[in-house]
Amino acid sequence: MKVSYQWLSQYVDVSGYSAAELAEKLTRSGIEVDIVESRNKGVTQVFVGFVKSREKHPDADKLSVCIVDVGQGEDLQIVCGAKNVAAGQKVPVAIVGAKLPDGLVIKRAKLRGVESQGMICSAKELGLNDKLLPKEIQEGILVLPEDTQVGASILDVLALNDEVMDFDLTPNRSDCLSMLGAAYEIGAILGRGVKLPDAEAGLNDSAAAVKAADRISVEISAKEQCSHYAARLIEGVKIGPSPLWLQNRLMAAGVRPINNIVDVTNFVMFEYGQPLHAFDADQLNNGHIDVRLAREGEKLVTLDDAERTLEPHMLLITDGVKPVAIAGVMGGANSEVSDGTTRILLESANFAGSSVRKTSRQLGLRSEASLRFEKEANPEAVIPALNRAAALIAELAGGQVASGIVEAVAGERKPVQIELTVSRINGYLGTELSVEEVKAIFERLNFTVEPLEQDGLLVHVPSRRGDITRAVDLIEEVARLHGYDNIPTTLMNVVTTPGALTREQAIRRLTRTLLTGSGLHEAITYTFTHPEQIRQYAGAFPDAKPIALAMPMSEDRSVLRTSLIPHLLDVAVYNRNRNQDDVAVFEIGRVFVTGDAQLSRLPEEKLQLAILMTGKRSELHWTGKPADVDFYDLKGIFEGVVSYLGIDGVRYEAAQPEGFHPGRTAQIVVETPSGSRAIGTIGQLHPALQQQKDLADTYVLEVELDTLAQLASESFAYRPLPRFPAIGRDMALVVDRSVPVGDLLAKARETAGSLLESIQVFDIYTGERLGADKKSVAISLVYRTLERTLTDEEVSELHGRVVAALEEGFGAELRK
């Protein structure tokens, strides 16, 4: 909202304060002012001149020699190149010594042998914004109104000696989207009264021969979207340019003047914050207005000459036959005020902000009017703004206002009355304000205050302050106007407790640290995905139904994910397309699982951990050629996390889930209090999927992190360093290829008992010498006890029992 200092001074006494000082006070009280900008871009010594005569230059076809009176006693001879200069005009004249915004200093000069004693200026040369200039003055010199005083400073005539404050308003302060709202705010800060304009000044409609109700009628069919609609009829208007003072006001507010009718509606909108619209009454069917919702497929050509297809939720202004405007957004071309318009139907209404917001965003039409309706305009400004605009149109367009207002009311706003106590205010703010001081603050805001028992107050909030609905809102007003700098600094006197992470948060943070320490990079991908990605890779929940979004950003982000893997694959593809073939990433995030396609209840959110590795295991180095990552690199990283979390009983079982390599994939199974449970999958992607993604061998893991968090040990157990030596034994067993090595190790641990300190596989061999269905598994076992030194005899006897158990349980044979 751009607020002109000169315009503001008409409503509140700002004497003694510059625009910059007002901006500082506003910002300190909660209304931020982004910038204070002067309308004068560097103009000096430019006055209003009267062109007495214009003659063709003797030696130049495109130049004119003008004699100009600038009110300083002596006429000036000025050579001018503008096509539109003519005798009898009043124009801005830069005399010798004048400066213009582009840095030009005016000097005496000879142009083709003729002396020139100044310069007749265009609007652009005076630094006026091209986009804000009326079309008729964008080219050539600026021709001023006939009643402009000769010799007057152009700074006064064009209000260039004005400064404009640019308010950066928060969404709740829509009251300051008007000059009167800004005046109330300034008045409250300075402790000065607000001078409201006389809305009915010059409006003598009681003497009018025509009654508005006889010519126009109004009804509201969409009562939820429109609570009040009022109209006035003005006849005999003459369309033309607005007076200069009105154009100056609009340009200071950042709006281009159009004509006297449109300019008045814009002026009153900025003054009251109440948008208005003027219809050509002769284009309305029998002067009727019906506010209703659009019909399916209905269309309207708006003022920007674009045809809009309307939807049933959009609110329209119609004449009972056809739509003539999109309520609160933009008028229709079929009822536009044109040069031939003589009768005006002037609209002032209160539309629901939610309806205007949805319509304007869907149609891509944002305007000053829609902005104010979206933030809920003051419902009590409907009639004053209507009367003010009607009176100005009668004055500036020569029209006659018909007697009476035609209106329809579908709902009324209940007055807001709030009770609070001064002790509560002081308790919140840490102040010691008295009842009189608090009451004075509310009265500066033009709130009516009634005293209650003890230190209680009943505050009547005016309708312009729709942001105040609760006692805490009033306390905020007291804080603002008392001054944040005046609120004392006090220590909190409350019971405090130290913050802490939840178990899940702690495990998530620890897991992230362990994985990044293992050389992986964390990825953060979208929660939304494409339905096809779920069909290609269902992940850990193949029976989960895709959950569609009501208003997706795009088809690629239209359903909630059921797995983290598809987006990690996208990360790998993205990197590979940029010649980054070695990718090791992980993600910790939530997936959304439901078996109910109708979504009768909320989906289950599961916290998952996913890891993806592809490419080389290490970077190129002189010590050796880097090898490709494999299943065991991924498995080792995961086992490191599980070991650090203190989770026992994790094992891997062969599996063939969809999307994975049929021989290089396993289910991750853990022991829970309720029994064994599969919590994830680890393995290589299916070759077909790798080929489709143009990836090398890629290994992925996805596991339920929330389950791991539940199983993680809350304490760490430390063992002392051993005092007695260990005895190692190695063995190579030939078994069927179908025998899981994990089962061999589990059986060995069970048989050896507490004397077995560690067991590790150090080689697996397959070859023709063993047979097509056999493999050799080399295992290293370490025996030790913390209580004494073991003898060779007892270790040999125990190791023999381990071998016998493996031979008996799995048909294993010791390899010679």
Side-chain angles (χ1 to χ4, degrees):
M1 172 69 184
K2 297 182 181 296
V3 177
S4 159
Y5 181 84
Q6 287 189 359
W7 193 356
L8 180 68
S9 66
Q10 293 185 345
Y11 310 110
V12 63
D13 180 12
V14 292
S15 60
Y17 296 93
S18 66
E21 290 171 335
L22 290 180
E24 175 67 18
K25 288 184 174 293
L26 281 163
T27 301
R28 285 183 175 275
S29 68
I31 301 294
E32 184 178 357
V33 179
D34 277 347
I35 190 173
V36 178
E37 186 177 12
S38 174
R39 292 198 67 210
N40 184 356
K41 303 305 180 184
V43 176
T44 63
Q45 296 294 299
V46 179
F47 301 95
V48 176
F50 176 72
V51 182
K52 288 186 172 182
S53 65
R54 170 189 176 271
E55 301 293 337
K56 181 178 175 298
H57 192 289
D59 295 325
D61 293 337
K62 295 184 179 181
L63 297 179
S64 303
V65 180
C66 303
I67 303 300
V68 184
D69 176 15
V70 292
Q72 297 188 2
E74 183 179 345
D75 294 342
L76 303 178
Q77 178 177 281
I78 298 176
V79 178
C80 179
K83 295 179 180 180
N84 65 325
V85 66
Q89 293 176 337
K90 291 183 178 179
V91 293
V93 178
I95 65 174
V96 174
K99 293 182 180 179
L100 298 180
D102 60 358
L104 177 65
V105 178
I106 304 301
K107 301 178 181 179
R108 290 179 181 270
K110 281 191 176 183
L111 300 176
R112 294 289 184 95
V114 177
E115 184 179 26
S116 181
Q117 300 169 323
M119 175 179 174
I120 301 176
C121 301
S122 68
K124 295 180 183 178
E125 289 166 336
L126 294 175
L128 298 179
N129 189 338
D130 289 357
K131 297 180 180 179
L132 301 180
L133 296 175
K135 293 181 179 179
E136 62 271 13
I137 65 172
Q138 289 184 2
E139 300 295 336
I141 61 167
L142 175 60
V143 180
L144 301 170
E146 295 180 0
D147 59 352
T148 309
Q149 182 182 352
V150 175
S153 171
I154 202 67
L155 300 182
D156 296 327
V157 173
L158 298 181
L160 297 181
N161 51 359
D162 189 12
E163 291 182 292
V164 178
M165 296 177 286
D166 193 352
F167 286 10
D168 185 7
L169 298 173
T170 52
N172 64 314
R173 291 307 304 271
S174 60
D175 60 296
C176 286
L177 286 171
S178 67
M179 295 303 301
L180 289 178
Y184 277 117
E185 187 69 18
I186 292 291
I189 294 171
L190 302 182
R192 298 177 181 180
V194 176
K195 298 172 287 187
L196 297 177
D198 186 353
E200 300 184 18
L203 187 63
N204 188 21
D205 64 335
S206 59
V210 177
K211 292 185 178 180
D214 294 338
R215 304 288 178 88
I216 61 176
S217 57
V218 169
E219 68 172 311
I220 300 175
S221 298
K223 300 185 184 301
E224 292 185 4
Q225 290 78 17
C226 178
S227 60
H228 190 186
Y229 193 98
R232 271 193 175 277
L233 179 66
I234 309 165
E235 298 184 322
V237 300
K238 184 178 180 181
I239 308 300
S242 300
L244 202 53
W245 70 264
L246 180 53
Q247 294 187 27
N248 290 338
R249 292 284 184 257
L250 293 180
M251 286 191 286
V255 173
R256 181 169 65 89
I258 305 294
N259 58 49
N260 49 6
I261 304 300
V262 176
D263 292 352
V264 165
T265 60
N266 284 332
F267 174 83
V268 175
M269 176 184 67
F270 282 108
E271 186 174 50
Y272 281 86
Q274 170 62 42
L276 305 167
H277 188 71
F279 297 98
D280 185 333
D282 291 328
Q283 303 303 317
L284 303 177
N285 180 47
N286 296 323
H288 181 63
I289 290 292
D290 180 17
V291 185
R292 64 166 172 82
L293 294 176
R295 301 187 181 100
E296 187 70 42
E298 201 165 11
K299 296 184 178 182
L300 174 66
V301 178
T302 48
L303 291 174
D304 58 357
D305 293 325
E307 185 178 67
R308 312 282 178 179
T309 300
L310 309 173
E311 296 190 11
H313 67 81
M314 297 179 178
L315 187 64
L316 298 182
I317 310 300
T318 73
D319 63 0
V321 176
K322 62 183 182 299
V324 294
I326 303 173
V329 179
M330 186 174 285
N334 56 7
S335 60
E336 180 182 6
V337 173
S338 63
D339 292 343
T341 298
T342 59
R343 299 173 68 242
I344 296 290
L345 186 147
L346 188 62
E347 165 197 284
S348 183
N350 188 259
F351 303 121
S354 57
S355 174
V356 175
R357 184 184 305 111
K358 185 175 181 180
T359 300
S360 65
R361 289 185 178 179
Q362 189 167 344
L363 295 178
L365 290 173
R366 302 300 297 276
S367 63
E368 294 287 350
S370 68
L371 172 66
R372 284 159 176 78
F373 278 126
E374 287 177 22
K375 298 180 182 298
E376 303 293 350
N378 178 9
E380 293 186 5
V382 171
I383 298 302
L386 179 64
N387 289 333
R388 171 77 160 153
L392 286 172
I393 289 175
E395 175 188 347
L396 304 179
Q400 175 61 51
V401 181
S403 175
I405 297 173
V406 181
E407 61 182 325
V409 179
E412 295 184 359
R413 174 185 178 273
K414 294 181 180 179
V416 176
Q417 300 178 1
I418 302 173
E419 292 185 15
L420 80 165
T421 61
V422 175
S423 57
R424 183 181 180 188
I425 295 174
N426 288 328
Y428 268 70
L429 303 181
T431 55
E432 297 181 358
L433 297 172
S434 66
V435 174
E436 289 73 20
E437 288 174 317
V438 172
K439 186 178 178 183
I441 288 175
F442 289 138
E443 289 174 346
R444 282 161 53 191
L445 287 162
N446 282 269
F447 294 0
T448 303
V449 183
E450 295 180 22
L452 300 177
E453 294 181 359
Q454 297 180 349
D455 63 346
L457 297 173
L458 177 63
V459 182
H460 300 266
V461 181
S463 60
R464 61 183 172 81
R465 291 299 303 272
D467 60 308
I468 298 178
T469 58
R470 303 175 298 166
V472 289
D473 298 327
L474 290 175
I475 295 174
E476 181 183 3
E477 295 300 297
V478 172
R480 289 194 315 112
L481 293 178
H482 177 63
Y484 294 123
D485 293 343
N486 296 324
I487 296 176
T489 301
T490 56
L491 293 175
M492 293 187 297
N493 185 21
V494 295
V495 177
T496 59
T497 56
L501 299 176
T502 64
R503 181 181 179 85
E504 181 186 288
Q505 290 172 333
I507 296 298
R508 185 167 35 183
R509 181 175 294 185
L510 177 60
T511 303
R512 183 178 290 112
T513 301
L514 293 172
L515 292 176
T516 53
S518 299
L520 275 65
H521 296 279
E522 183 175 11
I524 300 176
T525 63
Y526 282 101
T527 303
F528 309 140
T529 189
H530 194 288
E532 186 62 28
Q533 286 197 317
I534 293 181
R535 284 190 288 270
Q536 286 183 349
Y537 185 88
F541 309 101
D543 298 328
K545 306 294 183 183
I547 303 168
L549 302 182
M551 298 179 65
M553 295 182 292
S554 65
E555 180 68 13
D556 288 340
R557 303 281 182 261
S558 59
V559 296
L560 291 173
R561 65 188 178 188
T562 58
S563 171
L564 304 180
I565 296 299
H567 284 169
L568 288 189
L569 291 175
D570 291 343
V571 171
V573 171
Y574 180 90
N575 280 272
R576 185 172 179 81
N577 290 341
R578 287 155 181 80
N579 296 321
Q580 297 294 327
D581 297 334
D582 305 332
V583 179
V585 293
F586 74 94
E587 181 173 10
I588 296 173
R590 297 191 181 278
V591 300
F592 303 85
V593 180
T594 182
D596 181 8
Q598 303 302 320
L599 206 64
S600 58
R601 64 178 184 273
L602 290 176
E604 185 179 0
E605 295 186 30
K606 291 184 175 292
L607 183 65
Q608 299 286 104
L609 164 64
I611 303 175
L612 178 146
M613 300 180 72
T614 185
K616 300 297 182 183
R617 181 178 297 145
S618 60
E619 295 181 356
L620 185 64
H621 195 261
W622 62 268
T623 55
K625 184 178 179 181
D628 294 335
V629 297
D630 59 20
F631 176 92
Y632 298 101
D633 292 308
L634 181 59
K635 180 171 176 281
I637 289 175
F638 176 67
E639 287 182 338
V641 172
V642 170
S643 174
Y644 199 91
L645 295 178
I647 302 174
D648 296 325
V650 177
R651 66 179 190 274
Y652 305 87
E653 297 180 354
Q656 294 185 5
E658 187 175 355
F660 281 89
H661 193 294
R664 300 176 183 175
T665 305
Q667 271 190 334
I668 301 173
V669 181
V670 297
E671 296 297 330
T672 68
S674 57
S676 298
R677 180 182 166 198
I679 62 167
T681 306
I682 180 173
Q684 182 182 340
L685 285 182
H686 196 283
L689 185 55
Q690 289 179 168
Q691 185 176 9
Q692 178 186 341
K693 299 287 186 181
D694 193 24
L695 292 172
D697 287 353
T698 302
Y699 298 87
V700 295
L701 170 148
E702 186 170 21
V703 67
E704 297 176 17
L705 188 57
D706 45 9
T707 302
L708 294 181
Q710 295 171 7
L711 297 175
S713 175
E714 296 184 357
S715 59
F716 292 91
Y718 295 90
R719 291 185 299 177
L721 291 174
R723 296 169 55 197
F724 303 101
I727 296 178
R729 293 285 189 271
D730 294 342
M731 60 181 174
L733 300 173
V734 178
V735 295
D736 292 340
R737 289 195 182 184
S738 60
V739 174
V741 175
D743 291 352
L744 293 174
L745 301 182
K747 188 65 174 179
R749 289 193 191 96
E750 178 186 350
T751 305
S754 60
L755 295 183
L756 180 63
E757 183 179 72
S758 66
I759 182 170
Q760 184 176 0
V761 176
F762 64 90
D763 184 49
I764 296 179
Y765 170 76
T766 57
E768 294 181 359
R769 289 189 301 169
L770 296 178
D773 59 345
K774 297 290 184 178
K775 63 182 176 183
S776 171
V777 181
I779 303 174
S780 175
L781 300 94
V782 176
Y783 299 94
R784 190 201 311 260
T785 177
L786 299 178
E787 299 173 353
R788 58 186 175 83
T789 300
L790 294 174
T791 63
D792 282 342
E793 291 77 9
E794 60 183 326
V795 169
S796 297
E797 189 272 334
L798 179 58
H799 187 71
R801 284 194 281 121
V802 170
V803 172
L806 296 177
E807 291 175 341
E808 181 180 353
F810 301 98
E813 297 179 2
L814 280 176
R815 186 179 175 192
K816 305 298 185 183

